[in-house]
Amino acid sequence: MGAHYCAICKQTTFSGKKHVFGKSHQSRLRVVLLKFTEKICGCSVSQVKEARRTLKKPQVEKFDCTQHKQKIWCYCCEVEIERNVTDDNMTVLYGGVIEHMATPEHKNKTHKFWWDNKADPKLKDKVLFTAEEAERFKAEVSEVLETFVEKEDEYIKQEAKFIRAQEKHRQEVMQTLLERKEEPELSNGPNSSRLSAEVPVSSQLQSRGWGQQMGNAFADSMSEVTQTAAGQGLTFIGYQDSSTSGNVHTGAVPPWLQDDPLEGTSGAAPQKEIGPSLQDFLKQKEQEKLKKLPPNRVGANFDHSSHTDANWLPSFGRVWNSGRRWQSRHQFRQEERQKRKQKKQHGTESSKKAKMTEQLSSSGV
């Protein structure tokens, strides 16, 4: 017998078609049909069973890419099919399953699957949908779609109405704020508000020639400013005298851009610096570092402030001062030879003296 491949058991057998009557094949076939008709992918309800329930009551939902783009496997046709029918705006749940299982191709392949695998004929009707059921389903879906579209239109109209109401309320609030702002401007006059906005109070007083002799006039002007601020809904926090130092309103350089903190002052006495100077701080910091070093180190007592000339180093001679290396080498060898000669002469003299002493000692004995 030839080889026979079983798609249910996923193995090749050489016993021919006897394999489909075996216990192992039939048990695996029951598991496959149970997954297909009762539950799929671990779900408690099968996709086919749920599709049969939606025949009488179709469900239409708004499109969700995470849920409505799923596919299922058809064991009879051995292909993947779309579970739902969608146009990326609305989704008909289980419309793809019903549409596929109502086709003649699926019906023919289902008959062939049952015949080849000797499955239970009672389970065949669970995976087949008739053409009448499909047409009835389409008619009911069209009605459900109409009601769904009407609900969506009503929802869109409500949202648009809410947006228009919010925009109208915002415009009304802005209009009231503008009216409140225009009322004090009209009461004070256009020139007064413009002058007070463009020119500071101190500049106005100086331009009128009052200078430092303000007296009661200055108090009157401050009271007027306070009343104007109160009329505009503002709080007067007091007048800050800038006669001694400039500010950004009088054209002075800001403090954060000044090299000297006292720059921009006019006639002010220089303030005394508080605390040690920068040089004293750096000197103290250097002394703190030196305290951590051993006190008896070389150069600990050296006075760095003392003046020394360029010739303070000792003269080592030879190549350290002038000449080449080979000249120093020859000079060193000459000195070594002279030292050896002196040692030999000293040795001969000492040996002669020793012999003389021996002779004298022997002759005296």
Side-chain angles (χ1 to χ4, degrees):
M1 292 184 180
H4 174 71
Y5 177 75
C6 178
I8 301 297
C9 301
K10 296 182 181 180
Q11 64 180 2
T12 302
T13 60
F14 296 93
S15 59
K17 293 186 177 181
K18 294 180 181 179
H19 170 74
V20 298
F21 296 98
K23 291 182 179 181
S24 61
H25 175 81
Q26 290 296 323
S27 62
R28 294 192 179 185
L29 180 62
R30 283 192 294 270
V31 172
V32 169
L33 293 178
L34 180 65
K35 288 171 62 179
F36 192 40
T37 58
E38 296 297 331
K39 56 181 179 179
I40 290 180
C41 300
C43 299
S44 58
V45 181
S46 95
Q47 309 291 332
V48 178
K49 193 172 183 180
E50 194 67 22
R52 191 168 290 279
R53 287 182 180 177
T54 57
L55 277 173
K56 298 180 181 179
K57 190 177 180 180
Q59 298 179 5
V60 179
E61 295 181 357
K62 196 172 182 179
F63 175 71
D64 185 2
C65 61
T66 60
Q67 297 180 0
H68 297 155
K69 282 289 186 180
Q70 296 179 356
K71 295 183 178 181
I72 65 173
W73 179 259
C74 180
Y75 289 93
C76 300
C77 303
E78 296 182 353
V79 293
E80 270 190 341
I81 60 175
E82 295 285 346
R83 191 185 72 172
N84 308 309
V85 175
T86 179
D87 60 349
D88 294 343
N89 290 323
M90 297 177 291
T91 303
V92 180
L93 299 182
Y94 302 101
V97 178
I98 297 172
E99 187 178 2
H100 170 76
M101 292 187 175
T103 57
E105 292 83 1
H106 175 76
K107 185 176 181 180
N108 295 333
K109 289 184 179 181
T110 300
H111 291 319
K112 185 176 182 300
F113 179 82
W114 249 255
W115 175 261
D116 292 342
N117 294 284
K118 303 299 185 251
D120 188 2
K122 297 179 182 179
L123 301 175
K124 187 188 296 186
D125 294 337
K126 291 185 177 181
V127 296
L128 291 175
F129 290 88
T130 62
E132 292 78 7
E133 290 175 340
E135 292 297 331
R136 195 184 318 117
F137 176 75
K138 291 179 181 179
E140 293 178 356
V141 164
S142 61
E143 296 177 359
V144 174
L145 282 173
E146 290 178 0
T147 56
F148 181 78
V149 170
E150 290 177 359
K151 290 181 180 179
E152 285 293 318
D153 292 342
E154 186 66 24
Y155 175 75
I156 292 172
K157 290 178 181 178
Q158 291 179 359
E159 289 294 322
K161 185 178 179 181
F162 176 74
I163 292 171
R164 285 194 295 268
Q166 291 290 330
E167 182 65 21
K168 184 178 179 181
H169 177 68
R170 186 184 68 83
Q171 292 179 358
E172 290 177 354
V173 171
M174 292 296 295
Q175 187 66 25
T176 53
L177 291 176
L178 291 174
E179 291 177 356
R180 290 178 182 177
K181 187 176 181 182
E182 290 174 357
E183 286 177 359
E185 290 181 356
L186 293 174
S187 61
N188 298 328
N191 296 328
S192 61
S193 62
R194 190 178 305 164
L195 181 63
S196 61
E198 292 178 354
V199 183
V201 177
S202 60
S203 301
Q204 295 178 23
L205 296 175
Q206 292 175 5
S207 64
R208 293 173 185 174
W210 290 351
Q212 297 180 355
Q213 299 176 357
M214 294 188 216
N216 298 329
F218 177 77
D220 297 338
S221 63
M222 288 300 101
S223 63
E224 291 177 1
V225 171
T226 306
Q227 293 174 2
T228 305
Q232 295 182 357
L234 303 176
T235 302
F236 181 71
I237 59 174
Y239 174 71
Q240 297 180 359
D241 186 13
S242 61
S243 59
T244 58
S245 63
N247 54 28
V248 293
H249 300 290
T250 58
V253 181
W256 54 89
L257 295 179
Q258 296 177 6
D259 296 333
D260 185 5
L262 298 178
E263 183 180 353
T265 59
S266 58
Q271 297 180 1
K272 187 178 180 180
E273 188 175 358
I274 301 174
S277 62
L278 180 61
Q279 291 77 10
D280 296 339
F281 172 73
L282 295 177
K283 187 175 180 181
Q284 180 66 22
K285 194 174 181 181
E286 190 68 24
Q287 290 179 358
E288 292 293 334
K289 289 183 180 179
L290 294 177
K291 285 182 180 180
K292 298 179 181 179
L293 299 176
N296 297 326
R297 68 187 185 280
V298 177
N301 298 323
F302 179 73
D303 187 8
H304 293 276
S305 61
S306 62
H307 178 71
T308 55
D309 56 356
N311 299 324
W312 67 274
L313 285 173
S315 177
F316 296 98
R318 297 179 185 176
V319 72
W320 284 275
N321 290 350
S322 63
R324 299 181 181 178
R325 292 173 62 90
W326 64 269
Q327 293 176 354
S328 297
R329 183 170 65 250
H330 287 297
Q331 186 178 1
F332 175 75
R333 288 177 179 174
Q334 289 177 2
E335 292 176 356
E336 287 292 327
R337 284 195 291 268
Q338 291 177 0
K339 288 180 181 179
R340 289 196 210 100
K341 288 180 181 181
Q342 291 177 0
K343 286 182 180 179
K344 286 181 181 180
Q345 291 176 0
H346 182 69
T348 53
E349 289 178 358
S350 60
S351 62
K352 287 180 181 179
K353 288 180 180 181
K355 288 181 181 179
M356 289 293 291
T357 53
E358 288 179 357
Q359 290 177 359
L360 291 174
S361 61
S362 61
S363 62
V365 174

